[in-house]
Amino acid sequence: MEVTAKDRLQVEEQVEQMLSGLGSEVSLCDLGLELSKPATLRKNVTYIVCAVVFNDQEEVLMVQEAKHDCYKQWYLPAGRVEVGESLEEALRREVREEAGFDCQPITLLLIQEQGPQWIRFIFLARITGGSIKTLKAADQESLQASWWDRQSSLPLRGRDILRLIEYGLKYHRNPWHPITLPLDISCRHIVQRLLLVFVGAEKQIWILLIRAPTPHLPTAAALKTHAMTWAANMVVQEALPSSYYDYEVNTLGVISLQHNGRQHGKTDGVCFNTVVALVPDRAPRDEDGLEVKWPVPVTPPPVENPRYVWMEVQEPALREKLLQETQNPSLLPIHSLY
């Protein structure tokens, strides 16, 4: 049974809303829930927030560590999200405690993860008040804060922040994805909602759907033994088992994310609304080392599991948007540190 015209219209409207940055409640999880526990801060998940803040001279705000194992070394304002906090609330608190400033998040720059148990949310932010923390105000949070020109010598706690600063500078100078801030929508588990698309040879676009109770985008729980985006692979393995090893499952980026965090153990989860591309995985050269040009499939690989169905996108404007996102993504990146 194919998707009806009414269902197609509803799905296309949902996708349009999703691409515009809107979220929706996670009313059910289609895959992996039996292998996943509810996200609970301080028990099975740790969220880190990190702020990249520039002044008018493009100097970046840095804080000097007070912790024993990195005493007097410098790092971006960062720290753990506490029970009952939203991600933005945690960011504001960390910047205020460590640097002395009030700040306003501008956008998420990057998400880094080591599976659902450790996720770091890197924000670009701007100063809205307060004054820079000096040595006179040193405490257990930090010794002091300073603006760094990124050229002068500075003992860093870790060089990982250099990449984060570059991401921030790139966006500060030329925003390359829409402003993306957490949506205040609760979620119990850490899940990936998939806008999983296939592009045919003639630029047709198909979206993989779950059939019941009504056709909808698949949602899969993240497993602690894998990178968060492995959820997309789980869906493809279940829907297209014979074709799985012939295709790459590429999570291109995050359209939006949903988090609330106000009820400990009940709303600590995060829903990542993502664009995922299914593309043929073929060797670019043959056994003799000669370049091979493989034909692009006209249609997606056949669904083998009756839970799933491919839906071809009919609405021209939506088709163009999805084609653009698969060819030149302008999405919030998510990187695995596994």
Side-chain angles (χ1 to χ4, degrees), residues 75 112 120 156-165:
Y75 206 70
Q112 296 175 315
R120 180 159 69 170
L156 301 179
R157 179 183 123 191
R159 295 183 62 83
D160 60 308
I161 62 171
L162 298 178
R163 183 184 189 186
L164 309 185
I165 293 170

Side-chain angles (χ1 to χ4, degrees), residues 170 176-178 199 252-253 275 277 320-331:
K170 177 183 176 183
W176 54 280
H177 64 73
V199 181
L252 302 178
V275 177
E320 285 303 313
K321 285 182 185 178
L322 291 173
L323 193 60
Q324 173 67 22
E325 289 297 0
T326 57
Q327 294 178 339
N328 186 26
S330 57
L331 301 166

Side-chain angles (χ1 to χ4, degrees), residues 25-75:
E25 182 182 354
V26 180
S27 56
L28 55 85
C29 182
D30 300 296
L31 194 64
L33 194 62
E34 71 282 0
L35 302 174
S36 170
K37 294 181 179 180
T40 306
L41 283 178
R42 294 185 176 176
K43 183 178 180 181
N44 60 4
V45 297
T46 296
Y47 300 149
I48 307 295
V49 290
C50 181
V52 180
V53 184
F54 297 104
N55 62 15
D56 292 340
Q57 290 75 46
E58 291 190 341
E59 297 170 320
V60 64
L61 183 64
M62 302 286 286
V63 296
Q64 193 174 35
E65 298 282 7
K67 293 188 284 290
H68 176 73
D69 59 347
C70 52
Y71 189 69
K72 288 191 175 181
Q73 295 177 334
W74 293 83
Y75 206 70

Side-chain angles (χ1 to χ4, degrees), residues 34-197:
E34 71 282 0
L35 302 174
S36 170
K37 294 181 179 180
T40 306
L41 283 178
R42 294 185 176 176
K43 183 178 180 181
N44 60 4
V45 297
T46 296
Y47 300 149
I48 307 295
V49 290
C50 181
V52 180
V53 184
F54 297 104
N55 62 15
D56 292 340
Q57 290 75 46
E58 291 190 341
E59 297 170 320
V60 64
L61 183 64
M62 302 286 286
V63 296
Q64 193 174 35
E65 298 282 7
K67 293 188 284 290
H68 176 73
D69 59 347
C70 52
Y71 189 69
K72 288 191 175 181
Q73 295 177 334
W74 293 83
Y75 206 70
L76 293 171
R80 296 186 181 192
V81 177
E82 300 293 344
V83 170
E85 286 184 318
S86 71
L87 300 177
E88 291 187 48
E89 289 168 346
L91 185 81
R92 293 189 185 97
R93 175 183 53 76
E94 289 291 347
V95 173
R96 184 169 57 252
E97 290 176 349
E98 296 188 352
F101 286 121
D102 296 321
C103 78
Q104 176 64 38
I106 297 171
T107 184
L108 281 157
L109 290 171
L110 173 67
I111 298 166
Q112 296 175 315
E113 52 96 359
Q114 294 178 349
Q117 57 269 23
W118 187 94
I119 308 173
R120 180 159 69 170
F121 301 88
I122 298 94
F123 288 83
L124 181 67
R126 59 173 171 266
I127 301 301
T128 59
S131 58
I132 199 162
K133 187 174 185 177
T134 65
L135 282 170
K136 291 181 179 180
D139 56 20
Q140 63 181 7
E141 301 296 339
S142 68
L143 300 179
Q144 62 177 324
S146 181
W147 295 103
W148 182 40
D149 63 7
R150 298 175 287 113
Q151 302 297 323
S152 57
S153 178
L154 197 69
L156 301 179
R157 179 183 123 191
R159 295 183 62 83
D160 60 308
I161 62 171
L162 298 178
R163 183 184 189 186
L164 309 185
I165 293 170
E166 286 304 313
Y167 264 90
L169 199 60
K170 177 183 176 183
Y171 195 96
H172 179 70
R173 291 173 175 173
N174 183 26
W176 54 280
H177 64 73
I179 289 175
T180 308
L181 290 170
L183 303 171
D184 187 8
I185 304 174
S186 63
C187 186
R188 191 162 193 179
H189 293 254
I190 297 176
V191 301
Q192 183 182 2
R193 181 182 281 139
L194 313 174
L195 176 50
L196 195 154
V197 301

